[in-house]
Amino acid sequence: MFNNKLSKILGSDRLKKNVPLAPHTTFGIGGSAQLFYKAKTSKELIKAIKAAHKLKIPYFILGGGSNILVADRGLAGLVVKVQSSKFKVQSYKIFAEAGVPLTKLVEIAQEHSLSGLECCIGIPGTVGGAVAGNAGAKNQWINQCIKSVTILDKSGKIINLKKDDCQFGYRSSCLRDNSSKIILKAIFELKRENPKIIKEKTNKFLEARSNQPKEKSAGSIFKNPANDSAGRLIDAAGLKGKRVGEAQISPQHANFIINLGRAKAKDVLALIKLAQGRVREKFGVELELEIQLIGFN
Ligand code: EPU
């Protein structure tokens, strides 16, 4: 059985079986991972991926679980939770491993009077997830202060990508495909700034997020279509507050689906389809998912 071989490589005390994934997601939704491993260092992350490749085990890289919907039936194969969290500040640069929480990265920048990451204030998740999905707000994105990203590629090689190699776009990059390029660390190039100005910028971004719900969610469900807002369209389609099971289109902001307690992934999916259908019907606009669906057909 591949489990035995994998457990020999990763340690039988470290490789867990049938681990519920819901607590590892901000949605609080999803079935179990057949196999689950917490990679506490970059070395462990590389070891886990190489082992999965060698044993031909399908794998999924989990960061902060903030931008995903995991299927109710869970995931076959291995889930590797990235917890490598070393960082270093050198002059106006920050080196951060993929598992550093984004909130921590923002904090480090503030402590060192470094500006450029204010747009990431309040965004959950890890450095790896934020870089792959080019997190940000109000036309400012994390890629604007990225210098380079170190990845593990399919063949097991460690490669340094310059910012321009990453094909950053609105909530996207070539690193978003979970299995072919695994982010190990990133270097951020920031600007020294007066702490008062950093605080003002930070407050501006916090203010922009003040209409967002506090309940469990995966952040924005859809990307904004060009020159419009998914939230505005779903709201105008009359769907605010619509419920399926214990999932609800937030009465506060229509581009958020919230988990009222024990929502199932299938309930969320039903609301996603409903929103897409109504917005298409009413406005002729195709809403594209921002979150990733994991473990669905
Ligand atoms: N609106 C409505 N009804 C709603 C929600 C919004 O009419 O239910 C209207 C607002 O009144 C506003 C417009 O739609 O005129 C845009 O709404 P908002 O300012 O809330 O921003 P957004 O476009 O919905 C984007 C990002 C957020 C980011 C905020 C803050 C996307 C998909 N969303 O939201 O990012 O925090 O701007 O700047 O790009 C995320 O990606 O997960 C996320 C939360």
Side-chain angles (χ1 to χ4, degrees):
M1 267 301 274
F2 63 62
N3 296 1
N4 296 340
K5 289 187 182 161
L6 191 63
S7 113
K8 263 199 191 131
I9 300 172
L10 300 180
S12 54
D13 54 329
R14 299 280 308 279
L15 184 67
K16 310 282 183 207
K17 283 183 195 145
N18 299 320
V19 173
L21 290 172
H24 295 282
T25 70
T26 57
F27 238 146
I29 296 174
S32 296
Q34 188 183 6
L35 297 166
F36 185 86
Y37 176 73
K38 283 184 185 168
K40 295 179 182 162
T41 61
S42 288
K43 216 169 148 187
E44 287 186 353
L45 177 56
I46 294 167
K47 184 166 73 173
I49 303 309
K50 284 190 171 169
H53 270 294
K54 189 172 152 209
L55 300 170
K56 297 194 170 45
I57 302 173
Y59 61 86
F60 176 72
I61 306 294
L62 178 68
S66 59
N67 225 5
I68 56 171
L69 177 65
V70 176
D72 297 314
R73 64 172 180 196
L75 289 185
L78 172 69
V79 170
V80 181
K81 178 151 171 125
V82 182
Q83 290 192 320
S84 50
S85 53
K86 279 198 199 140
F87 64 85
K88 188 169 72 183
V89 184
Q90 223 169 48
S91 178
Y92 53 89
K93 288 192 195 126
I94 304 180
F95 300 68
E97 286 186 328
V100 173
L102 192 58
T103 47
K104 177 78 189 166
L105 183 73
V106 173
E107 217 176 275
I108 301 164
Q110 283 174 343
E111 278 167 15
H112 289 80
S113 303
L114 293 171
S115 173
L117 284 164
E118 293 86 348
C119 64
C120 291
I121 185 82
I123 300 180
T126 54
V127 163
V131 170
N134 197 12
K138 282 182 142 307
N139 287 329
Q140 291 199 32
W141 301 295
I142 198 165
N143 79 305
Q144 289 163 339
C145 60
I146 287 174
K147 184 166 169 54
S148 65
V149 183
T150 307
I151 60 146
L152 182 74
D153 82 353
K154 254 185 171 158
S155 64
K157 256 198 269 162
I158 295 175
I159 299 177
N160 251 321
L161 296 177
K162 293 207 184 79
K163 176 172 138 165
D164 289 349
D165 303 328
C166 300
Q167 296 164 32
F168 286 113
Y170 167 58
R171 297 291 191 271
S172 72
S173 76
C174 71
L175 309 167
R176 222 183 153 190
D177 159 22
N178 199 277
S179 60
S180 63
K181 297 185 185 82
I182 290 145
I183 299 174
L184 299 175
K185 66 177 181 194
I187 303 179
F188 301 91
E189 199 165 47
L190 303 162
K191 213 179 98 199
R192 213 162 285 294
E193 186 55 279
N194 181 329
K196 240 177 107 182
I197 293 177
I198 295 182
K199 187 90 194 139
E200 276 167 24
K201 284 189 186 169
T202 305
N203 287 343
K204 192 184 80 188
F205 285 105
L206 278 176
E207 172 62 30
R209 300 175 61 85
S210 60
N211 63 344
Q212 296 175 3
K214 302 281 175 286
E215 293 92 343
K216 286 184 179 172
S217 78
S220 296
I221 289 286
F222 300 104
K223 294 182 185 178
N224 281 337
N227 307 317
D228 209 336
S229 148
R232 190 198 71 76
L233 289 164
I234 300 165
D235 188 354
L239 291 174
K240 250 184 173 171
K242 178 79 188 164
R243 265 180 79 161
V244 173
E246 294 199 13
Q248 184 182 38
I249 295 183
S250 165
Q252 203 178 332
H253 192 303
N255 198 18
F256 285 69
I257 293 177
I258 55 174
N259 176 4
L260 296 173
R262 275 186 250 163
K264 295 277 172 210
K266 69 174 172 41
D267 303 333
V268 175
L269 207 56
L271 287 174
I272 287 174
K273 298 238 160 86
L274 179 69
Q276 283 175 321
R278 285 275 179 89
V279 167
R280 186 183 304 124
E281 230 172 73
K282 247 188 136 181
F283 306 108
V285 176
E286 209 52 56
L287 289 179
E288 193 192 327
L289 278 178
E290 175 174 325
I291 62 163
Q292 285 180 299
L293 303 182
I294 313 297
F296 295 85
N297 281 335

